[in-house]
Amino acid sequence: MAHLGPVRRRALAVPAGLALTASLAFLPSVAASAAPLGDTADVATAAKPSTSGPKLSYVANLNAYATMNAAKKAVERAGGTVVTAYEQIGVVVAHSQNPDFAKQLRAQRGLFVSVGATRTAPMQAVQTTEEGATQRLGAADAAKAAAQAQEGQEPLEPNQWDLRTIKADEAHKINDGSRDVTVGIIDTGVDDTHPDLAPNFSKGQSANCVGGVADTTEGAWRPYADGSDHGTHVAGTIGAARNGLGISGVAPGVKIAAIKVSEPGTSLFYTEAVVCGFMFAAEKGIEVTNNSYYVDPYLFNCKTDDDQKALVEAIGRATKYAERKGTLHVASAGNSDQDLAAESLVDETSPNDTTPVPRTIDPSVCLDLPTQLPGVVTVSATGDKGLRSYYSSYGLGVVDVAAPGGDKWQVPATPDANGRVLSTVPGGGYGYKQGTSMAAPHVAGVVALLKSAHPYATPSQLQAMLKAQSTKAACPTQIYHAAGALINATTCKAKWGQTGYYGSGVVDALKTVK
């Protein structure tokens, strides 16, 4: 993930009945009939809005009968400026300095289902999940790997234990993916000039969504000069080309696109940017999105809170819209080593853009976004020995599948003996990372291979095949602790042929192409 802050993360069997899921089928016709704007006192108050507060960004979610035109006027009356409006899903993104902006709009129940601020800090120049800093590949290690590369392998492929774990190297001999399939990397940006990424990069399906409006100018999708290498690393795992250079991706024959959603300076992923990312992917015909982050500033978004409820609604509408357009979303489970199926969890990091306030939450009510949304594939991480990575979050009925994310304590028999995942980094280089951020792109790559083999499969059909073709993995007796010691795996639960650590199993690229 792109966020460089504390390690935490994802997933959850989600309340299938999110209001947004049920109400969204109507939304292509949001422009139907106008609705009352609330009582006259509300309108009068909004006529002279205060500007004494900090400038914040908001999402306002329309109800089934509201018109977008009426909603925009209400936003303006309350002292807001419309940044963008999505007729397809009934969501308005706005800025305002009126401290009562959200309150005034919420009072107009004839127009809005929910309204909330997307941040707690004033606007200025979504969170990612790698565990630790990038370890750059040195020239000596690169040469050692190249010396051991066999015929048909990329020079650094001997170090890619992760490809062999999911049999991607064998799958490539049958089918390495179709050019008709694109994976959109919603992240910190991708360096499309990297020689291992340039052959498969789709500029026409790439953009910078920071701020909530897609910018498709040349290079807008690239990482900031002082920004994170996270998105570029994810991109290599998915779709680095088999071109005799560096590494190979899981699906080296498909196209990759970059949708940058991280703020400059902070690498925070705010709701307006993430909604833009999903909508852009949907309209550009992207078949798979990879989401190795959580949406800031809340690790968990509680539907009992007016602001957080609105964020769940807006992002849920966007993911469902994209799904209806044929896009399957893959997301990382998080690096907080938490049981996301527990009755309660402690969240000590939210909000992360101002001062966190520790709270105990129910993860079935307070959702990690976008991971816990319906239809999203949630991915836990494993290491070379097949054990759950020491940092990976888990949860029975929450995690869908598992994939290699790296684990420094599970050391492979590779030339570099490095248990992390090797991939591309900006400037033409290569580096190692570990995290559920690294596991999710392995799954996104396998889904891309599935879509290549089954071009007419729907997102739900792809997810069903992905699970059915995964290699079952039972609960282990031991796993590694963060300090490197083996401990008893007492937290793994199993039921319905699934486990909390691995879901339906570890993904298998070879099965998808046979």
Side-chain angles (χ1 to χ4, degrees):
M1 286 195 70
H3 196 288
L4 306 179
V7 189
R8 43 269 175 72
R9 246 2 251 161
R10 304 298 70 202
L12 242 246
V14 126
L18 277 183
L20 60 92
T21 313
S23 65
L24 275 205
F26 76 84
L27 280 167
S29 59
V30 211
S33 56
L37 300 182
D39 63 41
T40 53
D42 292 330
V43 176
T45 302
K48 296 180 180 180
S50 168
T51 57
S52 62
K55 184 179 181 181
L56 297 179
S57 180
Y58 296 84
V59 287
N61 303 300
L62 281 64
N63 70 28
Y65 305 104
T67 68
M68 187 60 76
N69 186 51
K72 288 180 179 178
K73 288 180 178 178
V75 166
E76 292 166 358
R77 280 196 300 272
T81 302
V82 175
V83 175
T84 190
Y86 299 101
E87 290 267 2
Q88 311 96 309
I89 60 173
V91 174
V92 176
V93 177
H95 294 167
S96 181
Q97 289 183 262
N98 177 6
D100 294 324
F101 178 77
K103 180 181 178 181
Q104 290 176 10
L105 292 190
R106 287 174 194 144
Q108 301 183 53
R109 295 178 182 175
L111 283 177
F112 301 105
V113 171
S114 57
V115 182
T118 68
R119 60 188 77 203
T120 62
M123 289 180 62
Q124 54 189 348
V126 183
Q127 204 71 295
T128 67
T129 53
E130 71 264 48
E131 164 72 358
T134 305
Q135 180 183 350
R136 286 265 178 168
L137 177 71
D141 283 335
K144 186 187 299 184
Q148 295 186 32
Q150 300 176 5
E151 184 178 355
Q153 285 189 320
E154 298 295 278
L156 300 179
E157 198 171 337
N159 287 334
Q160 291 189 272
W161 60 270
D162 50 307
L163 288 190
R164 294 183 285 280
T165 294
I166 62 172
K167 301 176 185 175
D169 55 330
E170 297 178 58
H172 298 164
K173 297 173 184 177
I174 301 172
N175 185 350
D176 59 7
S178 168
R179 303 297 290 176
D180 293 330
V181 175
T182 303
V183 180
I185 299 152
I186 301 179
D187 213 296
T188 62
V190 173
D191 179 8
D192 58 301
T193 68
H194 194 294
D196 241 355
L197 303 179
N200 291 339
F201 195 81
S202 176
K203 293 185 177 182
Q205 294 171 293
S206 298
N208 176 2
C209 268
V210 176
V213 179
D215 175 6
T216 57
T217 57
E218 176 70 24
W221 52 77
R222 292 173 189 150
Y224 303 111
D226 60 347
S228 170
D229 58 8
H230 188 272
T232 302
H233 194 279
V234 166
T237 297
I238 296 169
R242 279 196 171 276
N243 55 358
L245 298 172
I247 66 166
S248 170
V250 173
V254 306
K255 293 186 293 185
I256 52 176
I259 304 174
K260 184 166 71 175
V261 295
S262 66
E263 297 268 321
T266 61
S267 288
L268 294 174
F269 291 56
Y270 285 120
T271 294
E272 61 270 25
V274 174
V275 168
C276 171
F278 286 124
M279 297 301 290
F280 183 83
E283 302 302 349
K284 290 295 182 178
I286 289 174
E287 287 80 9
V288 187
T289 66
N290 186 86
N291 303 273
S292 292
Y293 60 89
Y294 70 80
V295 179
D296 299 296
Y298 304 102
L299 175 55
F300 296 98
N301 294 265
C302 298
K303 293 182 291 178
T304 52
D305 176 274
D306 286 337
D307 284 308
Q308 295 165 42
K309 173 185 176 181
L311 309 189
V312 175
E313 180 96 16
I315 295 171
R317 290 186 178 194
T319 58
K320 280 314 246 182
Y321 176 77
E323 186 179 340
R324 290 197 300 272
K325 297 278 280 188
T327 308
L328 179 60
H329 310 298
V330 177
S332 53
N335 299 343
S336 51
D337 186 23
Q338 289 182 313
D339 182 356
L340 297 174
E343 292 184 0
S344 66
L345 293 173
V346 177
D347 175 10
E348 298 180 335
T349 65
S350 303
N352 64 4
D353 59 348
T354 47
T355 303
V357 179
R359 57 181 180 163
T360 299
I361 61 96
D362 176 351
S364 68
V365 175
C366 302
L367 309 183
D368 179 3
L369 301 177
T371 294
Q372 290 181 237
L373 291 173
V376 176
V377 178
T378 302
V379 184
S380 64
T382 62
D384 175 70
K385 298 184 185 303
L387 303 176
R388 175 178 70 86
S389 301
Y390 67 86
Y391 52 78
S392 180
S393 289
Y394 53 94
L396 182 62
V398 174
V399 168
D400 293 304
V401 291
D407 185 330
K408 62 186 178 183
W409 303 119
Q410 298 183 49
V411 181
T414 55
D416 57 5
N418 194 317
R420 300 173 179 86
V421 174
L422 178 64
S423 190
T424 49
V425 293
Y430 300 86
Y432 298 91
K433 285 181 177 289
Q434 61 179 7
T436 55
S437 276
M438 287 59 255
H442 284 86
V443 176
V446 171
V447 171
L449 293 177
L450 261 178
K451 184 66 174 179
S452 299
H454 305 278
Y456 301 108
T458 66
S460 60
Q461 290 171 335
L462 289 172
Q463 182 165 178
M465 286 189 284
L466 178 74
K467 293 177 181 179
Q469 295 175 1
S470 294
T471 301
K472 297 291 183 183
C475 282
T477 55
Q478 292 184 310
I479 57 171
Y480 283 94
H481 182 268
L486 278 169
I487 58 174
N488 292 332
T490 57
T491 56
C492 187
K493 299 176 182 178
K495 194 175 182 180
W496 316 302
Q498 301 179 27
T499 69
Y501 281 7
Y502 311 112
S504 293
V506 179
V507 294
D508 188 316
L510 181 59
K511 289 180 182 177
T512 68
V513 299
K514 279 189 171 181

